[in-house]
Amino acid sequence: MTRLGIVGILLSCLAVSSSVDARDMNGKFGLGYSQTLGGVSGIQLKYYVQDFVIEGTVGFDLFKPSSLDVRTGVKGAVGVVYNFARFEIANLGVGVRADIGWRNGASASAGAIRTCVDAGGTSADCQKANMGSSVWQVNVEIPLVAELYFTDHFALNVQAGLLLTIATTRQKALPQSTGQQATDSTEKGVGFSFGGGSLFGSAGFTVYF
């Protein structure tokens, strides 16, 4: 079942439960894990201001191959979600979010270098022939977010929505690799998708204080 289907089911349940009072989240701070539609995964911070949620996500990758340079990547996202449907057990909101990713040259070129080595080239020669510069990537999202509350302090969320990707290089700073979207391409260009990847690929949790 797709994420859009799950969100639709939650929306139907909310409509049936419309007489229930909304949960008061104003002023609450949350810490948890999330993955955006554009491929930013990591620690997420949330802060509620009335019906709005200010959120930020940050992640970091580092890998040191035994015979190659260190591969590093940094990714982050910032956004705001407006909860237009609020209930005791769940909120449903729509927002806007920007994803930003950066990978160093060793990380961005890792695939080409690995292919060269597998073909019989030496690590030094393959690295010299395929090493490129670091890459940046920016995605813009309009997510539809459903957040389900188990207690006042713990919630799960899933999301679907619109994603705009602008790729200026073949190497992506925010690779998704779901195999389910045209925007997963390794080519240069502009991508637009609705829905986005697998169901639990963008699921997350939040602990509220």
Side-chain angles (χ1 to χ4, degrees):
M1 184 178 295
T2 66
R3 278 179 289 187
L4 286 175
I6 292 294
V7 171
I9 292 173
L10 289 174
L11 181 57
S12 299
C13 294
L14 294 179
V16 173
S17 307
S18 60
S19 61
V20 180
D21 292 336
R23 185 180 297 268
D24 183 14
M25 298 297 292
N26 184 41
K28 286 196 173 182
F29 168 78
L31 175 65
Y33 169 86
S34 185
Q35 177 166 313
T36 71
L37 302 176
V40 174
S41 60
I43 299 299
Q44 184 179 61
L45 303 177
K46 292 183 177 180
Y47 184 74
Y48 268 82
V49 181
Q50 299 298 334
D51 296 337
F52 292 88
V53 187
I54 302 170
E55 60 178 40
T57 306
V58 62
F60 176 76
D61 303 315
L62 185 148
F63 177 66
K64 176 60 176 75
S66 58
S67 59
L68 298 173
D69 291 339
V70 174
R71 303 171 187 172
T72 60
V74 180
K75 47 198 172 183
V78 291
V80 176
V81 174
Y82 171 68
N83 288 314
F84 59 85
R86 298 175 58 243
F87 305 88
E88 178 64 23
I89 63 171
N91 285 341
L92 185 65
V94 63
V96 61
R97 182 186 296 137
D99 303 322
I100 302 173
W102 173 85
R103 296 171 67 189
N104 72 344
S107 177
S109 305
I113 293 172
R114 183 169 56 251
T115 300
C116 178
V117 172
D118 290 343
T122 66
S123 295
D125 290 342
C126 289
Q127 187 174 15
K128 182 178 180 180
N130 294 282
M131 182 60 68
S133 59
S134 60
V135 296
W136 290 86
Q137 184 175 338
V138 176
N139 299 331
V140 178
E141 304 179 16
I142 301 179
L144 179 67
V145 184
E147 186 167 37
L148 180 65
Y149 298 96
F150 289 84
T151 70
D152 286 341
H153 302 287
F154 182 78
L156 296 178
N157 66 81
V158 293
Q159 57 188 304
L162 305 177
L163 171 65
L164 174 64
T165 300
I166 301 175
T168 58
T169 66
R170 294 187 60 184
Q171 293 83 11
K172 302 298 188 297
L174 293 172
Q176 294 171 281
S177 302
T178 64
Q180 301 182 29
Q181 298 171 239
T183 51
D184 290 341
S185 171
T186 57
E187 302 296 326
K188 300 179 183 179
V190 177
F192 179 80
S193 65
F194 177 73
S198 60
L199 169 61
F200 296 107
S202 66
F205 71 88
T206 307
V207 175
Y208 287 100
F209 300 88

